[in-house]
Amino acid sequence: MTEQNFAEYIEQLEQVFDQAVVEGNDDELFASGYLRGHFDLVVAQLELQEQAAVDAVLPALRNAVEQTKHELAPADQQHIAAMIARLEQAAA
């Protein structure tokens, strides 16, 4: 995987967040904002650890959310899961 392919993949996923901001309802906007922070951190960590691989992004994001899900109400967890599913769809 080249750096360019990784960057293109990240850009593709970022479009999902951008779309939620423009077109999403309040729940989607919340989920997008919450996940975007985790996403940006995960991407930065992967790059710093020189593990910038497409197949590492979503598992690392799911792991980051799993570690903090105690902070979220069950309904918010469902919105986050739906946004992750949208990211997975965009990545396919």
Side-chain angles (χ1 to χ4, degrees):
M1 177 61 52
T2 66
E3 286 184 36
Q4 182 178 3
N5 289 344
F6 182 76
E8 290 171 1
Y9 177 78
I10 297 306
E11 186 175 312
Q12 181 179 352
L13 295 181
E14 287 173 337
Q15 290 175 7
V16 174
F17 294 117
D18 295 344
Q19 182 181 11
V21 170
V22 173
E23 301 173 3
N25 61 32
D26 288 346
D27 294 328
E28 292 168 329
L29 187 58
F30 164 77
S32 173
Y34 183 86
L35 273 180
R36 185 64 186 256
H38 284 291
F39 179 82
D40 290 344
L41 184 59
V42 161
V43 170
Q45 288 173 336
L46 289 172
E47 290 174 334
L48 285 173
Q49 297 168 0
E50 297 182 7
Q51 297 175 356
V54 167
D55 60 350
V57 175
L58 290 177
L61 180 61
R62 279 190 227 96
N63 184 48
V65 170
E66 181 66 28
Q67 291 178 11
T68 60
K69 78 177 190 178
H70 65 279
E71 300 173 348
L72 300 168
D76 290 337
Q77 290 178 23
Q78 290 178 330
H79 299 307
I80 300 295
M83 184 60 67
I84 289 174
R86 287 175 62 182
L87 291 169
E88 291 170 337
Q89 220 173 17

